[in-house]
């Protein structure tokens, strides 16, 4: 009987410990402990590092930080599908780059057009519609499109450990924001359902908008112009413009997030910066310094020099994607 009670007690303690673990998909180690210790000290009343609720701002990059980004940014796949759908209305695209490469299925040709070509692509496929029409096109695409390598819906390729982290932070009084180089209008239709982040807490690259009256109805129309490139040094600008408070915690995965992490860590009081390092070629992708997508070079060096947390995806995460 005594042995049975010991076994039952041990099982109960193990179950209770697991239930109490806010980050169950994270392996025990330095990264997990750094997160837990930071959150504990800034949320514990009476602690010298206590941070009042209004100041508990955490910003997250999206591509490569909250969901996968290989072999190309997911918004690019959306734009490619838009080109194919709109091509009958634009016969000139057959000979005009970067559209011609897309219609021929030439991804190398598309990527060779560089950032200018990609901006042209996004402007041409995103502009002209009302924001409501664009939101519907994104929602419809998200509901049916599949990733070319994994065959999964794109919203199934979010990172389970980061979902847990965002939920944990919100439970501790943090307000979580996305600050991404991706288009703000592209992300807003699905981030609340996928991440629990409402549209007003999404900061992204922004195109021009115009108020019009169409068929007697007021609408907002997307214009073919770029107002904010929310990448690299544009991220602190986007944070100031949309949030108005410096974050106390920032999470990224590439050199495009470096300035956001620097801006966060330059503030007074307790601060936290974390990089997701893609090291798992088997369950996801392994890349860093030389990758054309999600390059992590200067940021990796600075993180090590300044003691920022660097998550080793292969060793720190028990699982990558949510279980289906």
């Amino acid at each position: 009987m005594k042995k049975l009670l010991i076994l039952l007690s041990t099982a109960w303690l193990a179950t209770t410990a697991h239930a109490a673990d806010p980050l169950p998909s994270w392996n025990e180690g330095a990264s997990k402990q750094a997160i837990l210790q930071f959150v504990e000290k800034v949320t514990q009343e009476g602690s010298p590092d206590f941070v009042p609720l209004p100041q508990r701002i955490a910003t997250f990059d999206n591509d490569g930080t909250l969901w996968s980004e290989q072999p190309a940014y997911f918004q690019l796949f959306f734009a490619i599908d838009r080109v194919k759908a709109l091509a009958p209305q634009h016969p000139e695209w057959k000979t005009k780059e970067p559209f011609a490469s897309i219609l021929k299925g030439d991804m190398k040709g598309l990527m060779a057009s560089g950032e200018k070509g990609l901006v042209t692509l996004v402007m041409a496929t995103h502009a002209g519609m009302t924001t409501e029409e664009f939101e519907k096109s994104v929602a419809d695409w998200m509901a049916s499109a599949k990733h070319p390598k994994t065959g999964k819906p794109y919203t199934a390729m979010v990172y389970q450990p980061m979902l847990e982290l965002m939920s944990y932070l919100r439970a501790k009084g943090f307000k979580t924001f996305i600050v991404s180089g991706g288009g703000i209008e592209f992300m807003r239709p699905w981030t609340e359902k996928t991440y629990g982040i409402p549209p007003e807490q999404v900061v992204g690259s922004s195109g021009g908008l115009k108020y019009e009256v169409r068929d007697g109805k007021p609408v907002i129309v997307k214009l073919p112009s770029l107002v904010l490139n929310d990448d690299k040094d544009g991220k602190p600008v986007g944070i100031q413009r949309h949030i108005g408070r410096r974050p106390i915690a920032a999470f990224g995965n590439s050199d495009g997030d470096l300035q956001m992490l620097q801006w966060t860590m330059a503030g007074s009081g307790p601060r936290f910066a974390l990089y997701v390092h893609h090291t798992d070629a088997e369950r996801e992708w392994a890349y860093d310094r030389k990758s054309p997508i999600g390059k992590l070079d200067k940021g990796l060096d600075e993180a090590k020099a300044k003691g920022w947390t660097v998550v080793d995806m292969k060793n720190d995460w028990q699982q990558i994607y949510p279980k289906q």
Side-chain angles (χ1 to χ4, degrees):
M1 184 67 178
K2 185 177 180 181
K3 185 179 290 187
L4 177 60
L5 289 173
I6 292 173
L7 287 172
L8 289 173
S9 177
T10 303
W12 180 83
L13 287 171
T15 301
T16 303
H18 180 74
D21 185 355
L23 304 175
S25 294
W26 293 69
N27 289 320
E28 297 300 328
S31 294
K32 182 174 182 176
Q33 285 306 307
I35 294 168
L36 295 173
Q37 289 170 9
F38 171 76
V39 174
E40 180 65 24
K41 73 179 182 180
V42 300
T43 59
Q44 184 66 47
E45 290 196 36
S47 163
D49 293 316
F50 177 75
V51 175
L53 279 171
Q55 298 173 30
R56 293 182 204 168
I57 302 295
T59 55
F60 291 80
D61 168 56
N62 183 48
D63 297 305
T65 301
L66 297 181
W67 70 354
S68 293
E69 62 181 357
Q70 295 288 349
Y73 298 121
F74 293 176
Q75 188 173 357
L76 176 58
F77 289 125
F78 168 72
I80 288 172
D81 285 347
R82 288 285 300 163
V83 166
K84 293 175 181 177
L86 295 172
Q89 303 170 35
H90 296 275
E92 73 278 9
W93 284 358
K94 291 181 180 180
T95 57
K96 183 180 179 181
E97 293 294 350
F99 311 100
S101 291
I102 291 172
L103 296 176
K104 290 184 290 188
D106 181 8
M107 281 296 290
K108 287 185 177 179
L110 170 60
M111 300 311 291
S113 66
E115 184 176 348
K116 183 179 179 181
L118 297 180
V119 170
T120 299
L121 171 64
V122 170
M123 291 297 103
T125 56
H126 291 29
M129 292 185 286
T130 68
T131 51
E132 290 180 351
E133 290 168 342
F134 184 73
E135 180 177 335
K136 184 179 185 304
S137 73
V138 172
D140 290 345
W141 183 80
M142 281 291 184
S144 60
K146 301 292 178 65
H147 189 272
K149 297 292 185 182
T150 68
K152 294 175 179 285
Y154 289 96
T155 49
M157 293 179 66
V158 299
Y159 301 137
Q160 177 64 27
M162 298 303 283
L163 295 178
E164 294 169 1
L165 174 56
M166 288 187 288
S167 294
Y168 172 50
L169 290 174
R170 289 192 288 266
K172 290 292 188 175
F174 278 78
K175 206 168 187 178
T176 53
F177 290 80
I178 289 176
V179 179
S180 171
I184 191 169
E185 308 292 349
F186 173 76
M187 293 182 287
R188 281 177 167 171
W190 52 269
T191 58
E192 188 162 27
K193 181 179 179 181
T194 304
Y195 301 137
I197 295 180
E200 66 269 21
Q201 289 168 217
V202 175
V203 181
S205 294
S206 306
L209 297 173
K210 181 182 179 182
Y211 173 86
E212 288 185 7
V213 177
R214 291 185 176 181
D215 299 324
K217 180 183 177 181
V219 295
I220 302 296
V221 178
K222 292 176 63 61
L223 301 177
S225 59
L226 184 63
V227 174
L228 172 66
N229 183 7
D230 195 54
D231 193 34
K232 300 178 181 176
D233 56 2
K235 290 201 171 191
V237 174
I239 289 170
Q240 179 61 30
R241 179 172 291 171
H242 289 272
I243 303 174
R245 289 184 186 270
R246 193 193 302 250
I248 65 167
F251 305 83
N253 79 292
S254 74
D255 285 356
D257 306 312
L258 178 57
Q259 288 87 346
M260 177 174 72
L261 271 62
Q262 290 172 331
W263 172 247
T264 298
M265 298 304 287
S268 60
R271 303 272 149 180
F272 189 79
L274 180 148
Y275 264 125
V276 174
H277 188 190
H278 293 261
T279 57
D280 199 325
E282 184 176 341
R283 296 184 298 172
E284 207 237 12
W285 284 270
Y287 59 97
D288 46 42
R289 296 185 186 276
K290 296 183 179 180
S291 176
I293 299 292
K295 180 180 179 180
L296 179 59
D297 183 25
K298 293 179 180 178
L300 191 59
D301 290 338
E302 186 152 346
K304 291 179 178 178
K306 294 186 175 180
W308 299 347
T309 298
V310 177
V311 170
D312 182 326
M313 185 182 282
K314 183 176 181 179
N315 295 314
D316 285 334
W317 288 357
Q318 290 182 23
Q319 70 182 82
I320 304 295
Y321 305 125
K323 294 178 181 178
Q324 299 297 306

